[in-house]
Amino acid sequence: MFSHTKHVLILFAMLIGAVLLTACNGSATSNNVAATLLHNAPVARDSAVIIPLGQEIFTPFIRVVQLGTPVTWHNTDRVAHTITTTSEHSSFLNPQAFALHIPVGQTTSFTFHKAGLYNYFDNTQATWNSKDQRVAANKGVPNYPLAMEGVIWVQGPVAGLPRTVVNPIPGKDEFFKNFVAIPKGGSVSWHNTDMDDHFVSLVSGWSEPINPSDVGVIQIKGTHAHPGGETKTQTFSTPGLYYYYCSAHATVNTAWKRVEAHKDASETPLPMEGFILVTS
């Protein structure tokens, strides 16, 4: 009888073969199949992230791990990749910076000893937009406008979080803060100073502990309909990571379960998306 470890290795080998085959086909259907396989596949206890062949994507986009867990990136692409945390740092965002190089066909691991959210990207396939403090896809990458970017949520206590956070919507199609964190029972307020109405909606396709409760669609009127702009506040009583977007200025790419900017959105290729970490 095979051991659990052998089962994992065999399943992972079958998965890589499927990804290689589907990626070579290059069609939208193939991308959907590849993404489904990668999202649903069993992974080793170190919590894997896969770089599929020819996609310039990390999958899954959001990986959830416990403190002290090594995350392993498997590079099944034909080119080497470099990954690094973004330059934003706080008590909950990128509290433990890293920079890694992953050769072709190799794996690289990193162990997280500080709880919080880690936002990382491949700086050969995407660019850090210092003006908007966001990762932007390079033109010409296979899944443009999706950037080669990922999020690691290391579960655990984070001290000193505010109970209320105001996240303005400036006069363009973006949320001012891409990442915010509050304790259970805390609230987030969006104040819209843009002319357009914006709609906070959760990204479909994720399951608990990501988007653990439905907040519905929150319409926030702009200055054209509400002098000075409207403010809407949402209280979060269920801990988890809430991944949301404006459904008027972005769409959900169902193959990769990620937010994709509309072509006519003011900040394309930056999607109008945000993350709210609610600690227990």
Side-chain angles (χ1 to χ4, degrees):
M1 181 178 292
F2 290 107
S3 67
H4 173 74
T5 301
K6 290 182 178 179
H7 276 301
V8 170
L9 292 174
I10 291 171
L11 287 169
F12 182 72
M14 292 172 64
L15 167 63
I16 296 303
V19 171
L20 293 174
L21 177 63
T22 54
C24 289
N25 290 336
S27 66
T29 301
S30 298
N31 287 346
N32 288 337
V33 172
T36 300
L37 286 169
L38 290 165
H39 286 309
N40 295 335
V43 295
R45 291 179 181 178
D46 61 359
S47 296
V49 176
I50 298 172
I51 302 173
L53 175 65
Q55 301 297 321
E56 316 305 352
I57 285 289
F58 297 108
T59 184
F61 174 53
I62 305 171
R63 171 59 77 193
V64 183
V65 299
Q66 297 293 318
L67 272 173
T69 300
V71 174
T72 299
W73 286 265
H74 301 267
N75 185 5
T76 71
D77 204 1
R78 293 194 182 98
V79 298
H81 289 277
T82 61
I83 58 176
T84 180
T85 43
T86 65
S87 60
E88 284 195 294
H89 298 276
S90 70
S91 63
F92 74 92
L93 181 59
N94 296 333
Q96 186 180 354
F98 63 84
L100 306 169
H101 178 73
I102 315 174
V104 176
Q106 301 297 310
T107 64
T108 300
S109 297
F110 185 83
T111 301
F112 294 88
H113 297 291
K114 293 185 178 180
L117 298 177
Y118 293 81
N119 183 208
Y120 68 95
F121 69 110
D122 183 325
N123 59 16
T124 68
Q125 305 294 328
T127 303
W128 176 247
N129 183 319
S130 57
K131 177 176 175 287
D132 292 312
Q133 298 288 288
R134 300 284 304 282
V135 176
N138 290 347
K139 288 186 177 179
V141 295
N143 287 284
Y144 186 88
L146 294 182
M148 192 167 184
E149 177 185 17
V151 176
I152 305 289
W153 173 21
V154 180
Q155 294 181 312
V158 179
L161 296 179
R163 291 196 61 81
T164 60
V165 172
V166 177
N167 193 3
I169 300 172
K172 51 187 177 179
D173 301 332
E174 72 169 8
F175 300 103
F176 182 71
K177 299 175 183 177
N178 200 30
F179 295 91
V180 302
I182 54 175
K184 176 183 176 181
S187 64
V188 175
S189 296
W190 294 272
H191 177 59
N192 186 7
T193 62
D194 193 16
M195 289 187 62
D196 298 339
D197 290 0
H198 292 285
F199 300 81
V200 170
S201 308
L202 295 183
V203 178
S204 60
W206 295 96
S207 57
E208 192 174 355
I210 302 170
N211 294 344
S213 64
D214 187 9
V215 301
V217 177
I218 305 171
Q219 181 179 2
I220 313 166
K221 294 179 181 179
T223 57
H224 78 291
H226 192 286
E230 187 176 26
T231 298
K232 288 288 183 71
T233 300
Q234 177 68 39
T235 298
F236 292 85
S237 57
T238 303
L241 179 60
Y242 293 80
Y243 177 29
Y244 69 94
Y245 72 113
C246 174
S247 52
H249 296 92
T251 190
V252 176
N253 183 312
T254 56
W256 304 109
K257 298 195 293 186
R258 289 185 56 182
V259 177
E260 185 174 299
H262 286 174
K263 291 181 179 179
D264 60 353
S266 67
E267 303 308 294
T268 296
L270 299 177
M272 192 171 181
E273 67 181 357
F275 300 83
I276 301 169
L277 174 61
V278 182
T279 62
S280 56

